[in-house]
Amino acid sequence: MTAPQNILIVEDEPLIAMMLEDFLEILDKVAVGSADSVSAAMELIQAGGIDAAILDLNLRGGETSLPIADALAAANIPFVFATGGSHDSVAERFRDRPSLAKPFTMDGVAKALDALA
């Protein structure tokens, strides 16, 4: 399998989402969309064209990206969780998935996406 090219970003901080979009562009990836809520992400997933996703675990308003992870897993779309906490904060059913520690670095994003290939 080749490394994913079309990446969904789920991040509730606009500046961080824009930084991730910049990183993806530099890494020759395409940000197919950026969502800051579960409902917005679900619409993008249903629209299709996503090879992988970067999911901020905790979204605003107490939402988590776990329903998004469930939908991606059901569609066999790989993803990484982005978290400022430890990997232990990820739901047990997803602990085998790669994670991306905050603050993000270009190298960290590249390695996380390569881990999905």
Side-chain angles (χ1 to χ4, degrees):
M1 189 173 129
T2 58
Q5 287 301 117
N6 301 312
I7 314 297
L8 168 66
I9 298 169
V10 179
E11 170 60 64
D12 61 353
E13 293 292 336
L15 289 174
I16 295 175
M18 286 189 302
M19 182 184 74
L20 282 171
E21 289 172 7
D22 290 345
F23 282 0
L24 292 175
E25 189 176 326
I26 292 165
L27 294 167
D28 287 329
K29 309 287 186 192
V30 177
V32 290
S34 188
D36 63 0
S37 68
V38 171
S39 60
M42 293 301 200
E43 286 178 25
L44 290 167
I45 292 167
Q46 288 170 350
I50 296 168
D51 296 334
I54 298 172
L55 306 179
D56 183 11
L57 186 57
N58 296 305
L59 304 172
R60 68 173 52 108
E63 256 189 341
T64 73
S65 59
L66 292 176
I68 304 163
D70 287 329
L72 291 167
N76 282 327
I77 298 170
F79 56 88
V80 298
F81 279 114
T83 177
S86 72
H87 195 61
D88 295 344
S89 59
V90 173
E92 197 166 320
R93 67 186 180 277
F94 295 125
R95 291 226 178 114
D96 60 336
R97 304 283 178 151
S99 62
L100 179 60
K102 290 182 178 181
F104 301 128
T105 63
M106 175 88 68
D107 192 45
V109 171
K111 285 182 177 164
L113 293 175
D114 286 346
L116 298 177

